[in-house]
Amino acid sequence: MTNNYATMNIRGYQWPVLKKLLRQRFSELSDEDLVFEAGKETELYTRIERKTGKSQEDVALIIKGMQQAYLQQTTLL
């Protein structure tokens, strides 16, 4: 299994939007599950994996897809 956490780069300014999208997609995630701290992304991904039952790869792909959608939206404004 590869470590996709190392390839993820969440910026703090993106997190409120990404957090909202994750809560919409996974109602089982709580605010506590989605606490973001720079440098502690691994812990965040682990919490999301545990609560959703998704694999490490799935979590990374979901977040990356949400980031791309966010960036596309902001460049259109």
Side-chain angles (χ1 to χ4, degrees):
M1 180 183 299
T2 60
N3 186 344
N4 286 318
Y5 298 141
T7 63
M8 299 304 300
N9 185 15
I10 296 175
R11 291 175 178 84
Y13 70 88
Q14 295 175 338
W15 188 242
V17 173
L18 296 174
K19 179 179 173 179
K20 181 179 177 182
L21 293 171
L22 285 165
R23 290 283 313 265
Q24 288 174 353
R25 184 159 178 181
F26 302 105
S27 60
E28 62 268 36
L29 293 172
S30 68
D31 286 334
E32 293 80 29
D33 296 325
L34 297 172
V35 170
F36 171 77
E37 293 181 58
K40 294 188 177 183
E41 289 85 355
T42 301
E43 290 89 343
L44 170 65
Y45 302 134
T46 300
R47 290 192 302 269
I48 295 170
E49 286 173 32
R50 272 196 302 250
K51 279 297 210 60
T52 64
K54 299 289 182 188
S55 70
Q56 180 183 97
E57 289 82 9
D58 287 342
V59 170
L61 287 172
I62 290 165
I63 291 175
K64 187 170 185 154
M66 289 178 174
Q67 283 178 306
Q68 290 172 341
Y70 171 80
L71 291 173
Q72 286 176 348
Q73 179 184 5
T74 58
T75 57
L76 295 175
L77 297 177

